[in-house]
Amino acid sequence: MTATVERIESWLVDVPTIRPHKLSMTTMGCQTLVIVRITRSDGICGIGEATTIGGLSYGVESPEAIQSAITHYFTPLLRGQPTDNLNALTARINSAIKGNTFAKSAIETALLDAQGKALGLPVSTLLGGALNTVLPVLWTLASGNTDNDIAEGQRLLDEGRHRAFKLKIGARELETDLRHTRAIVEALGDRASIRVDVNQAWDATSAARGCRELAAMGVDLIEQPVSAEDNAALIRLSQRIETAILADESVASHFDGYRLAQQGFNGAYALKIAKAGGPASVLKLAHVAQAAGIGLYGGTMLEGTVGTVASLHAWSTLPLQWGTEMFGPLLLKDDIVSLPLSFTDGCVALPQAPGLGVELDEEKLQFYARKQRE
Ligand code: MUC
Ligand code: MG
């Protein structure tokens, strides 16, 4: 008999970061992971994660809203449903719940994890099969201080942990950001690929100037230089700037990806399971991009290990021109899984055990879980 969904639990898990992480819209000192566990009638459990950045400063769902949506909307919709048909479950969810892609991603991940365990297969196999089981991972230099960023980058290059860095810019004056980037390219650029993420901070005029200068100084990839509301400017930049433009906040679903491509965008897409609704759903966007000749990049919402591994299973099935940024667990002071991922030689290895291939450490989970008031 087919197992059904019996129980869905969720926790808000607050884990401090190893240093302040400065983006154009917020500075993070702590990351809140929304961890989900689905228990099936056959006793098999699947886990998932929905994680956003800086409360409501980055995305439209807060951690608290994600948990509330799971408790009050996803759980009644899924309880008692057969678990062996992800497409049927996704259709059921999408016909009843608009948006809420972070919550959808955690649920889709947990269903895949459970099904993988039931079938004895890794999630990547359920998604069609891994092309690569070792994936490149960059690190983000975002301490907010140029000298500290250079020292951090040099140490990580010496340790061999990363071969590419993304700089978070956009919070300061354009000139200051360009000086900061130039200093880092000069210090690290002959040993590493340097990319920048502006997180929508520039208007179209600043972006035209900023991107030209970034291209001239040897930056390899320029992420979301303009607002997600101004795709016309993003498309112009992708056509005129020699350095590749990466769309992040501008592209969440395959519908967004199709529209941007149709309007003439020719850079790359930052894929994120949280933007698209899960590790299976995000592949639709990847396939639209492939058909349009747009490059692929495995993106993060700075998830912990559960969300990171879920993303890696999806990214492993794709030819990624720009690698991944799945370093989220390394930004956190502690982990809530029993066997953390290992990052070496600029890469991370995809777990091969059934399901996601990682298990929650119950003690750590309870230690970091936010204590809810009755
Ligand atoms: C983003 O916008 O890309 C990814 C890496 C990082 O440092 O921030 C995130 C969000
Ligand atoms: Mg980004």
Side-chain angles (χ1 to χ4, degrees), residues 47-317:
I47 54 175
E49 176 182 338
T51 291
T52 186
I53 294 170
L56 278 172
S57 62
Y58 190 101
V60 295
E61 293 165 63
S62 68
E64 296 77 11
I66 293 168
Q67 187 181 40
S68 169
I70 288 170
T71 304
H72 299 291
Y73 294 90
F74 287 79
T75 302
L77 193 67
L78 294 178
R79 206 185 287 120
Q81 291 299 308
T83 54
D84 62 348
N85 186 334
L86 184 69
N87 289 341
L89 287 167
T90 306
R92 181 176 174 84
I93 291 169
N94 286 336
S95 70
I97 299 175
K98 302 277 180 290
N100 285 274
T101 56
F102 287 73
K104 284 176 182 170
S105 177
I107 294 287
E108 188 177 285
T109 300
L111 290 167
L112 280 165
D113 182 36
Q115 188 66 350
K117 286 174 184 157
L119 298 174
L121 297 171
V123 166
S124 57
T125 304
L126 300 185
L127 298 177
L131 298 176
N132 297 295
T133 55
V134 176
L135 289 100
V137 182
L138 62 63
W139 174 253
T140 295
L141 298 171
S143 71
N145 175 285
T146 309
D147 292 338
N148 291 351
D149 281 359
I150 291 174
E152 192 174 293
Q154 259 154 358
R155 178 176 56 77
L156 293 170
L157 281 168
D158 293 344
E159 287 172 8
R161 207 182 73 182
H162 301 280
R163 300 184 199 121
F165 299 111
K166 154 160 147 173
L167 319 183
K168 287 300 208 182
I169 59 175
R172 296 174 294 188
E173 292 291 305
L174 178 62
E175 285 311 325
T176 313
D177 273 342
L178 292 175
R179 260 200 313 278
H180 167 80
T181 307
R182 189 172 289 110
I184 294 178
V185 171
E186 279 168 10
L188 310 176
D190 54 348
R191 297 170 72 195
S193 168
I194 307 291
R195 298 107 183 256
V196 299
D197 188 356
V198 192
N199 281 118
Q200 314 186 64
W202 292 340
D203 58 46
T205 313
S206 311
R209 199 176 132 235
C211 290
R212 267 199 313 272
E213 298 218 13
L214 292 169
M217 70 177 82
V219 166
D220 290 326
L221 191 64
I222 304 172
E223 183 170 345
Q224 199 67 46
V226 290
S227 161
E229 309 291 346
D230 194 358
N231 282 342
L234 192 78
I235 292 163
R236 280 197 305 276
L237 292 166
S238 80
Q239 294 167 345
R240 292 178 191 171
I241 301 293
E242 215 168 292
T243 295
I245 302 290
L246 181 66
D248 183 5
E249 289 91 328
S250 282
V251 62
S253 68
H254 53 299
F255 298 110
D256 304 326
Y258 177 70
R259 257 192 310 272
L260 260 190
Q262 199 188 32
Q263 290 164 7
F265 179 80
N266 64 11
Y269 288 163
L271 309 170
K272 295 188 182 176
I273 61 171
K275 293 191 296 186
S281 298
V282 74
L283 296 182
K284 293 186 200 167
L285 169 61
H287 298 153
V288 165
Q290 283 180 293
I294 286 173
L296 301 177
Y297 176 69
T300 181
M301 283 294 178
L302 301 174
E303 291 102 342
T305 297
V306 176
T308 297
V309 168
S311 307
L312 288 170
H313 278 284
W315 310 158
S316 76
T317 69

Side-chain angles (χ1 to χ4, degrees), residues 10-14 34 63-64 67-68 71 369-374:
S10 64
W11 299 266
L12 296 178
V13 181
D14 297 310
V34 185
E64 296 77 11
Q67 187 181 40
S68 169
T71 304
R370 200 177 291 178
K371 309 298 173 273
Q372 317 269 4
R373 261 185 284 147
E374 290 305 313

